[in-house]
Amino acid sequence: MKLKTDQFGEIEFSEDLILNFKEGLYGFEQLKKYLLIKTDDDLFYWLTSVDRPEICFPLVGTRIIDESFPEEENYEAFAIVTLNKDPLQITANLKAPVYINQDKKTGFQKIIDTDKYPINYKLFVES
């Protein structure tokens, strides 16, 4: 299968790499199939819709930010990143992480019901 993306150009992939999100993502409930793309020289993973490849979410592993971040058995948690030209304004949504099981090729998103995890956690700080 082939997919033309704004981020990576045309990419070829096999159907067994497609992640299925039964409920979709918040705001994108109609989109159920995604590819998780990671390039060697990129800090982020890219969750790209198979049905609408112009819809692409940068992700970062939550364990990089907080080693005690809530887990779901057999799933890895990722935060959706909001990019900005100013690196100090790049944020990660820790309140509504995306959980992905790369073996079973499934994923879901849920809201963490605590104030400990903000919607706009700043990934970079000035030193």
Side-chain angles (χ1 to χ4, degrees):
M1 299 177 76
K2 289 184 180 177
L3 192 67
K4 190 172 182 178
T5 69
D6 293 338
Q7 185 74 19
F8 303 104
E10 187 172 283
I11 56 173
E12 192 165 341
F13 63 98
S14 59
E15 193 164 335
D16 62 342
L17 293 176
I18 295 175
L19 300 171
N20 292 293
F21 285 73
K22 187 177 175 184
E23 306 294 327
L25 300 175
Y26 298 128
F28 299 88
E29 288 82 1
Q30 75 282 10
L31 301 176
K32 313 284 188 195
K33 297 179 179 180
Y34 290 89
L35 287 178
L36 186 62
I37 299 170
K38 175 81 169 89
T39 61
D40 291 339
D41 59 344
D42 200 341
L43 174 66
F44 304 114
Y45 293 84
W46 297 87
L47 191 63
T48 304
S49 169
V50 172
D51 297 319
R52 291 188 54 200
E54 71 274 18
I55 305 295
C56 184
F57 300 97
L59 303 178
V60 64
T62 59
R63 292 293 172 150
I64 293 173
I65 298 167
D66 181 350
E67 289 183 4
S68 64
F69 195 85
E71 294 183 24
E72 292 285 333
E73 189 173 341
N74 299 321
Y75 284 84
E76 183 176 358
F78 295 89
I80 294 177
V81 174
T82 300
L83 298 174
N84 191 296
K85 289 180 181 176
D86 179 355
L88 297 177
Q89 300 302 317
I90 295 174
T91 60
N93 182 347
L94 297 177
K95 189 75 168 176
V98 174
Y99 288 91
I100 295 174
N101 181 323
Q102 294 196 54
D103 293 328
K104 292 186 177 181
K105 303 299 179 205
T106 59
F108 64 92
Q109 186 177 26
K110 73 180 237 182
I111 294 175
I112 306 288
D113 191 19
T114 174
D115 291 336
K116 181 179 178 184
Y117 299 108
I119 291 173
N120 52 3
Y121 176 86
K122 290 192 177 190
L123 281 181
F124 305 105
V125 293
E126 266 186 283
S127 59

